[in-house]
Amino acid sequence: MEKKEDRRIAMTKRLLKAALIELLKEQDIYHISIRELCERADVNRTTFYKYYGSQYGLLSDIEKDHFGKLEELLSERGVDSEDILCKVLEALHEDEKNYKILINALPDKDFSAKLFNLPAIRMQIEKN
């Protein structure tokens, strides 16, 4: 029974994240209201606030997801250190539209700095 709740929570968060990404294609984060976001995701505002304090918290969670995927990719066993940067660039290219949206949407404009400070990337940059 608990797994169903976990799946429902995960689905709700996916809906909210997808809605925010769609809205960010149309307008900046400062002009996106929680009401508009919830309508787009077809999620109740109370449910939104159960998981996030604001649209910025949701955006931060999306950023964390993307960095988690990159870190998982970078931690694969059997990958030569020379291939690491190529793998990251391929991953960025595959999801280019969403990364562009994130880079442009983050209020602190810190996404690219965080990207290049991922440990595996930082190590490669420092080697060269």
Side-chain angles (χ1 to χ4, degrees):
M1 188 91 138
E2 191 172 331
K3 284 189 178 197
K4 284 186 182 181
E5 182 177 359
D6 290 347
R7 277 187 268 172
R8 278 183 280 169
I9 292 168
M11 175 59 87
T12 299
K13 288 182 175 184
R14 277 195 302 274
L15 289 170
L16 288 167
K17 290 172 185 179
L20 183 58
I21 292 291
E22 287 301 312
L23 287 168
L24 286 169
K25 291 176 184 176
E26 302 165 12
Q27 57 191 323
D28 64 46
I29 188 83
Y30 303 108
H31 294 100
I32 296 173
S33 69
I34 300 303
R35 180 192 53 75
E36 182 179 26
L37 180 59
C38 290
E39 285 176 4
R40 182 72 61 106
D42 197 24
V43 171
N44 185 302
R45 283 173 51 136
T46 305
T47 302
F48 174 87
Y49 285 115
K50 183 176 181 180
Y51 305 114
Y52 301 104
S54 69
Q55 64 272 45
Y56 302 101
L58 176 56
L59 182 61
S60 178
D61 202 30
I62 294 170
E63 176 186 359
K64 187 176 79 177
D65 289 348
H66 278 77
F67 282 123
K69 289 177 191 174
L70 288 174
E71 287 176 342
E72 185 178 309
L73 178 71
L74 293 168
S75 67
E76 288 180 8
R77 298 279 182 228
V79 177
D80 292 339
S81 60
E82 294 81 32
D83 293 336
I84 289 176
L85 193 53
C86 289
K87 283 182 147 293
V88 170
L89 293 174
E90 286 172 12
L92 292 173
H93 181 69
E94 287 173 12
D95 203 10
E96 179 181 359
K97 288 180 184 176
N98 284 336
Y99 282 107
K100 282 182 179 179
I101 291 168
L102 283 174
I103 289 168
N104 291 325
L106 292 170
D108 62 3
K109 302 297 179 198
D110 210 20
F111 186 84
S112 55
K114 290 177 185 175
L115 174 65
F116 289 105
N117 279 319
L118 286 173
I121 295 175
R122 180 95 249 129
M123 188 174 69
Q124 289 303 313
I125 291 171
E126 290 171 357
K127 272 185 176 180
N128 297 325

